Amino acid sequence: METFLENKLYSDVEGTCSGAHGYIIAVVKIIDHGAGMVLSGTGQAEFITRYSAIVFKPFKGEVVDGIVGEVNKMGFFAEVGPLTVFVSNHLIDPEMKFDPNSNPPSYASQDQIIERDTHVRLKIVGTRVDATEIFAIGTIKEDHLGVVE
């Protein structure tokens, strides 16, 4: 029974997003299963389980590393683990210009180029939390941010 409850917890919780706690990356330890209650009419049982987990909840001002997924004239999207961060062209260094004719599309300056699969360091300037998803906006307009070599 304990093995079934542990496997059910792992499959139901890991990889999900809770607005209150952020992305649940992995369950580390199960603290307590509780006694369990049989639900009337269905025959199913409900267990209140306490556990500790590794979570990722981004916050305003946090500096993170990500991988560029999509680049367009409005900016680019970077994948930071399970989180997608949008960096607007207004929050990119003015020296970096969008080149729609390049293949793949990119932002380029004298010494840096941002295109698909480029590693970037960015700062989160805002987040919006829904019940099951987190949205973030980032910038690379400050010192020590941008392409990571």
Side-chain angles (χ1 to χ4, degrees):
M1 177 71 126
E2 267 192 47
T3 305
F4 174 77
L5 290 174
E6 288 176 9
N7 290 337
K8 183 70 172 151
L9 176 70
Y10 294 141
S11 66
D12 286 354
V13 170
E14 287 183 340
T16 62
C17 180
S18 154
H21 304 292
Y23 292 98
I24 300 171
I25 307 299
V27 174
V28 177
K29 179 180 168 186
I30 296 174
I31 299 167
D32 180 29
H33 280 300
M37 300 265 302
V38 176
L39 302 175
S40 62
T42 65
Q44 295 179 335
E46 181 179 74
F47 292 84
I48 296 175
T49 306
R50 291 182 39 217
Y51 60 92
S52 60
I54 297 172
V55 297
F56 172 54
K57 185 170 184 182
F59 55 88
K60 185 178 177 178
E62 183 175 7
V63 176
V64 293
D65 289 355
I67 299 173
V68 175
E70 180 187 342
V71 179
N72 59 43
K73 67 180 179 180
M74 301 301 288
F76 65 86
F77 292 91
E79 305 296 325
V80 180
L83 176 70
T84 300
V85 180
F86 177 67
V87 179
S88 166
N89 59 2
H90 300 291
L91 297 172
I92 297 174
D93 192 334
E95 291 180 7
M96 298 197 87
K97 302 292 183 203
F98 178 68
D99 183 3
N101 299 322
S102 67
N103 191 13
S106 64
Y107 282 89
S109 69
Q110 295 281 15
D111 56 343
Q112 291 185 4
I113 186 164
I114 296 177
E115 59 188 9
R116 186 176 180 85
D117 296 329
T118 301
H119 291 260
V120 292
R121 180 163 293 138
L122 52 96
K123 181 178 181 180
I124 295 174
V125 295
T127 60
R128 190 182 94 221
V129 179
D130 282 353
T132 59
E133 198 170 0
I134 300 175
F135 304 94
I137 296 173
T139 182
I140 60 167
K141 212 172 183 176
E142 298 179 12
D143 291 341
H144 309 294
L145 302 177
V147 177
V148 177
E149 311 238 346

